Amino acid sequence: MKNLKLLALLMAAGLTLGFANCANAEVGYIDYQRVLESYPAAQSAIKELDAKGLELQQYMLEQEKQYKNLSTPLQKQNFESQTSTSIRQKQEALAKLQSDKENQILTKIQDVAKQIMIQQKLDAVLSDQVVFVGGVDITDQVIQQLK
């Protein structure tokens, strides 16, 4: 019976120490939107994607003009099938480019946040939208390292 009481006491002490360690946890957070707005590579990616989007819109307008100049239903049908395939390919290429750029930017921001997390001995870095109260704002440090 004494061993059982001793075991229970040791377990309670272990849980208390475990909770104490959690209470001392340091959490950092970043304003991801502000980081994106301040990150030159993100801004250039946005400009590149906007330019590609405008190219696609221009291409579609040109194809529409050509379609209106066709006279027979067979010509229009052939043109539609060729154009729809071409437009779909261009849209897929744009979506892939956008996904690649987003992944590159996110990876870079995460790498910088991890470095700061290690330097400041933080336990985690969260988005500022997740943190209600407390934590350490590392947004400016992330921005500085990205520049």
Side-chain angles (χ1 to χ4, degrees), residues 29 81 84 136:
Y29 62 91
S81 66
S84 66
V136 178

Side-chain angles (χ1 to χ4, degrees), residues 81-131:
S81 66
Q82 291 171 352
T83 304
S84 66
T85 301
S86 176
I87 289 173
R88 189 175 331 106
Q89 289 172 345
K90 290 180 183 290
Q91 287 173 331
E92 288 172 359
L94 180 61
K96 183 178 181 339
L97 177 65
Q98 181 178 1
S99 176
D100 291 345
K101 293 287 183 182
E102 287 174 354
N103 286 335
Q104 289 172 359
I105 291 167
L106 177 63
T107 300
K108 181 63 176 169
I109 292 171
Q110 285 177 332
D111 289 344
V112 169
K114 285 178 188 176
Q115 290 172 0
I116 294 170
M117 181 181 80
I118 292 168
Q119 289 170 356
Q120 293 194 4
K121 298 178 182 166
L122 301 172
D123 294 313
V125 175
L126 306 171
S127 169
D128 68 330
Q129 296 176 354
V130 177
V131 177

Side-chain angles (χ1 to χ4, degrees), residues 33 42-43 45 48 65 78 87 89 93 101 121 133 137 140:
Q33 189 62 39
Q43 294 306 308
E48 181 182 350
K65 288 177 186 176
N78 289 336
I87 289 173
Q89 289 172 345
K101 293 287 183 182
K121 298 178 182 166
V133 175
D137 186 358
D140 292 331

